[in-house]
């Protein structure tokens, strides 16, 4: 079974129900970075997202 890279924004912001899940890590990180900036006004590097917010499922 392939691994997926996942961001569940509800864990970070109680009022946000946004979930990203993709087998392509770079796609998941790009979508997560875009979401965090556009919706939450926060800029993160790819490494920060991977270390703090993304999980492999």
């Amino acid at each position: 079974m392939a691994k997926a890279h996942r961001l569940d924004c509800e864990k970070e912001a109680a009022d946000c129900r946004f979930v990203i899940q993709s087998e392509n890590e770079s796609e998941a990180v790009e979508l997560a970075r875009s979401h965090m900036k556009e919706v939450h006004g926060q800029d993160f590097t790819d490494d920060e997202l991977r270390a703090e917010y993304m999980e492999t499922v």
Side-chain angles (χ1 to χ4, degrees):
M1 180 178 217
K3 293 183 180 179
H5 305 277
R6 186 170 199 263
L7 167 96
D8 182 350
C9 200
E10 186 175 17
K11 290 181 181 178
E12 304 307 321
D15 61 338
C16 186
R17 304 286 187 256
F18 191 75
V19 175
I20 297 167
Q21 184 165 318
S22 176
E23 290 179 4
N24 182 322
E25 182 183 20
S26 61
E27 176 185 51
V29 170
E30 182 180 334
L31 290 169
R33 186 176 2 91
S34 176
H35 170 77
M36 296 302 267
K37 183 173 183 166
E38 292 175 10
V39 176
H40 301 291
Q42 299 175 329
D43 285 319
F44 291 97
T45 66
D46 292 357
D47 290 336
E48 288 173 325
L49 284 170
R50 284 183 186 102
E52 298 178 33
Y53 298 100
M54 302 293 291
E55 60 185 352
T56 303
V57 294

Coordinates of all heavy atoms in Angstrom, one line a residue:
M1 N 0.8 -1.2 0.0 CA 0.0 0.0 0.0 C 0.9 1.2 0.0 O 1.8 1.3 0.8 CB -0.9 0.0 1.2 CG -1.8 1.1 1.3 SD -2.9 1.0 2.8 CE -4.3 1.6 2.1
A2 N 0.6 2.2 -0.8 CA 1.3 3.4 -0.9 C 1.1 4.3 0.3 O 0.1 4.3 0.9 CB 0.9 4.2 -2.2
K3 N 2.2 5.1 0.6 CA 2.1 6.0 1.7 C 1.5 7.3 1.2 O 1.7 7.7 0.1 CB 3.4 6.3 2.3 CG 4.0 5.1 3.1 CD 5.3 5.4 3.7 CE 5.9 4.2 4.4 NZ 7.1 4.4 5.0
A4 N 0.7 8.0 2.0 CA 0.2 9.3 1.7 C 0.7 10.3 2.6 O 1.0 10.0 3.8 CB -1.3 9.2 1.7
H5 N 0.8 11.6 2.2 CA 1.2 12.7 3.0 C 0.0 13.5 3.2 O -0.8 13.8 2.4 CB 2.3 13.5 2.2 CG 3.4 12.6 1.8 ND1 4.5 12.2 2.6 CD2 3.7 11.9 0.6 CE1 5.3 11.4 2.0 NE2 4.8 11.2 0.8
R6 N -0.2 13.9 4.5 CA -1.5 14.4 5.0 C -1.3 15.6 5.9 O -0.4 15.6 6.7 CB -2.2 13.3 5.7 CG -3.6 13.7 6.1 CD -4.3 12.4 6.6 NE -5.7 12.5 6.6 CZ -6.4 12.9 7.7 NH1 -5.8 13.1 8.8 NH2 -7.7 13.0 7.6
L7 N -2.1 16.6 5.7 CA -2.3 17.7 6.6 C -3.7 17.8 7.0 O -4.6 17.9 6.1 CB -1.9 19.1 5.9 CG -2.3 20.3 6.7 CD1 -1.2 20.8 7.5 CD2 -2.8 21.4 5.8
D8 N -4.0 17.8 8.3 CA -5.4 17.9 8.8 C -5.4 19.2 9.5 O -4.9 19.3 10.7 CB -5.7 16.8 9.7 CG -7.1 16.9 10.2 OD1 -7.8 17.9 10.0 OD2 -7.6 15.9 10.8
C9 N -5.8 20.3 8.9 CA -5.7 21.6 9.4 C -6.6 21.8 10.7 O -6.3 22.6 11.5 CB -6.1 22.7 8.4 SG -5.5 24.3 8.8
E10 N -7.6 21.0 10.9 CA -8.4 21.1 12.1 C -7.6 20.8 13.3 O -7.9 21.4 14.4 CB -9.6 20.1 12.0 CG -10.6 20.2 13.1 CD -11.8 19.3 13.0 OE1 -11.7 18.3 12.2 OE2 -12.8 19.6 13.7
K11 N -6.5 20.1 13.3 CA -5.7 19.9 14.4 C -5.0 21.2 14.8 O -4.7 21.3 16.0 CB -4.6 18.8 14.1 CG -5.2 17.4 14.0 CD -4.0 16.4 13.7 CE -4.6 15.0 13.5 NZ -3.5 14.1 13.2
E12 N -4.8 22.1 13.9 CA -4.1 23.3 14.1 C -5.0 24.5 14.4 O -4.7 25.4 15.1 CB -3.1 23.6 13.0 CG -2.1 22.5 12.7 CD -1.3 22.1 13.9 OE1 -1.0 22.9 14.7 OE2 -1.1 20.9 14.0
A13 N -6.1 24.5 13.7 CA -7.1 25.6 13.8 C -8.5 24.9 13.9 O -9.0 24.4 13.0 CB -7.0 26.4 12.5
A14 N -9.0 25.1 15.1 CA -10.3 24.4 15.4 C -11.4 24.7 14.5 O -12.3 23.9 14.3 CB -10.7 24.7 16.9
D15 N -11.4 25.9 13.9 CA -12.5 26.3 13.0 C -12.3 26.0 11.5 O -13.0 26.4 10.7 CB -12.8 27.8 13.2 CG -11.6 28.7 12.8 OD1 -10.5 28.2 12.8 OD2 -11.8 29.8 12.5
C16 N -11.2 25.2 11.2 CA -10.8 24.9 9.9 C -11.0 23.4 9.6 O -10.5 22.6 10.4 CB -9.4 25.3 9.6 SG -9.0 25.1 7.8
R17 N -11.7 23.0 8.6 CA -12.0 21.6 8.3 C -11.2 21.2 7.0 O -11.5 20.1 6.5 CB -13.5 21.4 8.0 CG -14.3 21.8 9.2 CD -14.3 20.9 10.3 NE -15.2 21.2 11.3 CZ -14.9 21.8 12.5 NH1 -13.7 22.1 12.7 NH2 -15.9 22.0 13.4
F18 N -10.1 21.9 6.6 CA -9.4 21.6 5.4 C -8.5 20.4 5.6 O -7.7 20.4 6.6 CB -8.6 22.8 5.0 CG -8.0 22.7 3.7 CD1 -8.7 22.9 2.6 CD2 -6.6 22.5 3.5 CE1 -8.2 22.8 1.3 CE2 -6.0 22.5 2.3 CZ -6.8 22.6 1.1
V19 N -8.5 19.4 4.7 CA -7.7 18.3 4.8 C -7.0 18.1 3.4 O -7.7 18.1 2.4 CB -8.4 17.0 5.2 CG1 -7.5 15.8 5.1 CG2 -9.1 17.1 6.5
I20 N -5.7 17.8 3.4 CA -5.0 17.5 2.2 C -4.4 16.1 2.4 O -3.9 15.8 3.4 CB -3.8 18.5 2.0 CG1 -4.2 19.9 1.8 CG2 -2.9 18.0 0.8 CD1 -3.1 20.9 1.9
Q21 N -4.5 15.3 1.4 CA -3.9 14.0 1.4 C -3.5 13.6 0.0 O -4.4 13.6 -0.9 CB -4.8 12.9 2.0 CG -4.2 11.6 2.2 CD -4.9 10.6 3.1 OE1 -5.4 11.0 4.1 NE2 -5.1 9.4 2.7
S22 N -2.3 13.2 -0.2 CA -1.8 12.9 -1.5 C -0.6 11.9 -1.4 O 0.2 12.0 -0.4 CB -1.3 14.2 -2.2 OG -0.7 13.8 -3.5
E23 N -0.5 11.0 -2.4 CA 0.7 10.1 -2.4 C 1.9 10.9 -2.9 O 3.0 10.5 -2.7 CB 0.4 9.0 -3.3 CG -0.6 8.0 -2.8 CD -0.9 6.8 -3.7 OE1 -0.3 6.7 -4.8 OE2 -1.8 6.0 -3.4
N24 N 1.7 12.0 -3.5 CA 2.8 12.9 -4.0 C 3.2 13.9 -2.9 O 2.4 14.9 -2.7 CB 2.4 13.6 -5.3 CG 3.4 14.4 -5.9 OD1 4.2 15.1 -5.2 ND2 3.5 14.4 -7.2
E25 N 4.3 13.7 -2.3 CA 4.7 14.6 -1.2 C 4.8 16.1 -1.6 O 4.3 17.0 -0.9 CB 6.0 14.1 -0.6 CG 6.4 15.0 0.6 CD 7.7 14.6 1.2 OE1 8.5 14.0 0.6 OE2 8.0 15.0 2.4
S26 N 5.4 16.3 -2.7 CA 5.6 17.7 -3.2 C 4.3 18.4 -3.4 O 4.1 19.6 -3.1 CB 6.6 17.8 -4.4 OG 6.1 17.1 -5.5
E27 N 3.3 17.7 -4.0 CA 2.0 18.2 -4.2 C 1.3 18.5 -2.9 O 0.7 19.6 -2.7 CB 1.2 17.2 -5.0 CG -0.3 17.7 -5.2 CD -1.1 16.6 -5.9 OE1 -1.1 15.5 -5.4 OE2 -1.8 17.0 -6.9
A28 N 1.4 17.6 -1.9 CA 0.8 17.9 -0.6 C 1.4 19.1 0.1 O 0.7 19.9 0.6 CB 0.9 16.6 0.2
V29 N 2.7 19.2 0.0 CA 3.4 20.3 0.7 C 3.0 21.6 0.0 O 2.7 22.6 0.7 CB 4.9 20.1 0.7 CG1 5.6 21.4 1.1 CG2 5.3 18.9 1.6
E30 N 3.0 21.6 -1.3 CA 2.6 22.9 -2.0 C 1.2 23.3 -1.7 O 0.9 24.5 -1.5 CB 2.7 22.6 -3.6 CG 2.4 23.8 -4.4 CD 2.5 23.6 -5.9 OE1 3.3 22.7 -6.3 OE2 1.9 24.3 -6.6
L31 N 0.2 22.3 -1.7 CA -1.1 22.7 -1.3 C -1.3 23.1 0.1 O -2.0 24.1 0.4 CB -2.0 21.5 -1.6 CG -2.3 21.1 -3.0 CD1 -2.9 19.7 -3.1 CD2 -3.1 22.1 -3.7
A32 N -0.5 22.5 1.0 CA -0.5 22.9 2.4 C 0.0 24.3 2.6 O -0.6 25.1 3.3 CB 0.3 21.9 3.3
R33 N 1.1 24.6 1.9 CA 1.8 25.9 2.0 C 0.8 27.0 1.5 O 0.6 28.0 2.1 CB 3.1 26.0 1.2 CG 3.8 27.3 1.4 CD 5.2 27.3 0.7 NE 5.6 26.2 0.0 CZ 5.4 26.1 -1.3 NH1 4.8 27.0 -2.0 NH2 5.9 25.0 -2.0
S34 N 0.2 26.7 0.4 CA -0.8 27.7 -0.2 C -2.0 27.9 0.7 O -2.4 29.0 1.0 CB -1.3 27.1 -1.6 OG -2.3 27.9 -2.1
H35 N -2.5 26.8 1.3 CA -3.7 26.9 2.2 C -3.3 27.7 3.4 O -4.1 28.6 3.8 CB -4.1 25.5 2.6 CG -5.1 25.6 3.7 ND1 -6.5 25.9 3.5 CD2 -5.0 25.3 5.1 CE1 -7.1 25.9 4.7 NE2 -6.2 25.5 5.6
M36 N -2.2 27.4 4.0 CA -1.8 28.1 5.3 C -1.6 29.6 5.0 O -2.0 30.4 5.8 CB -0.5 27.5 5.8 CG -0.7 26.1 6.3 SD -2.0 25.9 7.6 CE -1.0 26.0 9.0
K37 N -1.1 30.0 3.8 CA -0.9 31.4 3.5 C -2.2 32.1 3.2 O -2.5 33.1 3.7 CB 0.1 31.5 2.3 CG 0.4 33.0 2.0 CD 1.5 33.1 1.0 CE 1.8 34.6 0.8 NZ 3.0 34.8 0.0
E38 N -3.0 31.5 2.3 CA -4.2 32.1 1.8 C -5.3 32.2 2.9 O -6.0 33.2 3.0 CB -4.7 31.4 0.6 CG -3.8 31.6 -0.6 CD -4.3 30.8 -1.8 OE1 -5.4 30.3 -1.8 OE2 -3.5 30.8 -2.8
V39 N -5.5 31.1 3.7 CA -6.6 31.0 4.6 C -6.2 31.6 6.0 O -6.9 32.3 6.7 CB -7.1 29.6 4.7 CG1 -8.2 29.5 5.8 CG2 -7.6 29.2 3.3
H40 N -4.9 31.2 6.4 CA -4.5 31.6 7.8 C -3.5 32.7 7.9 O -3.1 33.1 9.0 CB -4.0 30.3 8.5 CG -5.0 29.2 8.6 ND1 -6.1 29.3 9.4 CD2 -5.0 28.0 7.9 CE1 -6.8 28.2 9.2 NE2 -6.2 27.4 8.3
G41 N -3.0 33.2 6.7 CA -2.1 34.3 6.7 C -0.7 34.0 7.2 O 0.0 34.8 7.7
Q42 N -0.3 32.7 7.2 CA 0.9 32.2 7.8 C 1.8 31.7 6.7 O 1.4 30.9 5.8 CB 0.7 31.2 8.8 CG -0.1 31.6 10.0 CD -0.4 30.5 11.0 OE1 -0.5 29.4 10.6 NE2 -0.6 30.9 12.2
D43 N 3.1 32.1 6.7 CA 4.1 31.6 5.7 C 4.9 30.6 6.4 O 5.4 30.7 7.5 CB 5.0 32.7 5.2 CG 4.3 33.7 4.2 OD1 3.5 33.2 3.4 OD2 4.5 34.9 4.3
F44 N 5.0 29.4 5.7 CA 5.9 28.3 6.2 C 6.8 27.9 5.1 O 6.4 27.9 3.9 CB 5.0 27.1 6.6 CG 4.2 27.4 7.8 CD1 2.8 27.8 7.7 CD2 4.7 27.2 9.1 CE1 2.1 28.0 8.9 CE2 4.0 27.4 10.2 CZ 2.6 27.8 10.1
T45 N 8.0 27.4 5.4 CA 8.8 26.8 4.5 C 8.4 25.3 4.3 O 7.6 24.8 5.1 CB 10.3 26.8 4.9 OG1 10.4 25.9 6.1 CG2 10.8 28.2 5.2
D46 N 8.8 24.7 3.2 CA 8.5 23.3 3.0 C 8.9 22.4 4.2 O 8.2 21.5 4.7 CB 9.1 22.8 1.7 CG 8.5 23.4 0.5 OD1 7.5 24.2 0.6 OD2 9.0 23.1 -0.6
D47 N 10.1 22.7 4.7 CA 10.7 21.9 5.8 C 9.9 22.1 7.1 O 9.6 21.2 7.9 CB 12.1 22.3 6.1 CG 13.0 21.8 5.0 OD1 12.7 20.8 4.3 OD2 14.1 22.3 4.8
E48 N 9.4 23.4 7.4 CA 8.6 23.6 8.5 C 7.2 22.8 8.4 O 6.8 22.2 9.4 CB 8.3 25.1 8.7 CG 9.4 25.9 9.1 CD 9.1 27.4 9.1 OE1 8.4 27.9 8.2 OE2 9.7 28.1 10.0
L49 N 6.6 22.8 7.3 CA 5.4 22.1 7.1 C 5.6 20.6 7.3 O 4.8 20.0 8.0 CB 4.8 22.4 5.7 CG 4.2 23.7 5.5 CD1 3.8 23.9 4.0 CD2 2.9 23.8 6.3
R50 N 6.7 20.1 6.7 CA 6.9 18.6 6.9 C 7.1 18.3 8.3 O 6.6 17.3 8.8 CB 8.2 18.2 6.1 CG 7.9 18.1 4.6 CD 9.2 17.7 3.9 NE 9.0 17.7 2.5 CZ 9.5 18.6 1.6 NH1 10.2 19.6 2.1 NH2 9.3 18.6 0.3
A51 N 7.9 19.1 9.0 CA 8.3 18.8 10.4 C 7.1 19.0 11.4 O 6.9 18.2 12.4 CB 9.5 19.6 10.8
E52 N 6.3 20.1 11.2 CA 5.4 20.5 12.2 C 3.9 20.1 11.9 O 3.1 19.9 12.8 CB 5.4 22.0 12.4 CG 6.8 22.5 12.9 CD 6.8 24.0 13.1 OE1 5.8 24.6 13.4 OE2 7.9 24.5 12.9
Y53 N 3.6 20.0 10.6 CA 2.1 19.8 10.3 C 1.8 18.6 9.5 O 0.7 18.1 9.5 CB 1.6 21.1 9.5 CG 1.7 22.3 10.4 CD1 2.8 23.2 10.2 CD2 0.8 22.6 11.4 CE1 2.9 24.3 11.0 CE2 0.9 23.7 12.1 CZ 2.0 24.6 11.9 OH 2.1 25.7 12.7
M54 N 2.7 18.1 8.6 CA 2.4 17.0 7.7 C 2.7 15.7 8.5 O 3.6 15.6 9.3 CB 3.3 17.1 6.5 CG 3.2 18.3 5.7 SD 1.6 18.6 4.9 CE 1.6 17.3 3.7
E55 N 1.9 14.7 8.1 CA 2.1 13.3 8.6 C 2.0 12.4 7.5 O 1.4 12.6 6.5 CB 1.1 13.0 9.7 CG -0.3 13.0 9.3 CD -1.3 12.8 10.4 OE1 -0.9 12.5 11.5 OE2 -2.5 12.9 10.2
T56 N 2.7 11.2 7.6 CA 2.7 10.2 6.6 C 1.7 9.1 7.1 O 1.9 8.6 8.2 CB 4.1 9.6 6.4 OG1 4.9 10.7 6.0 CG2 4.0 8.6 5.3
V57 N 0.8 8.8 6.3 CA -0.2 7.8 6.7 C -0.2 6.6 5.7 O 0.2 6.7 4.6 CB -1.7 8.4 6.8 CG1 -1.7 9.4 7.9 CG2 -2.1 9.0 5.5

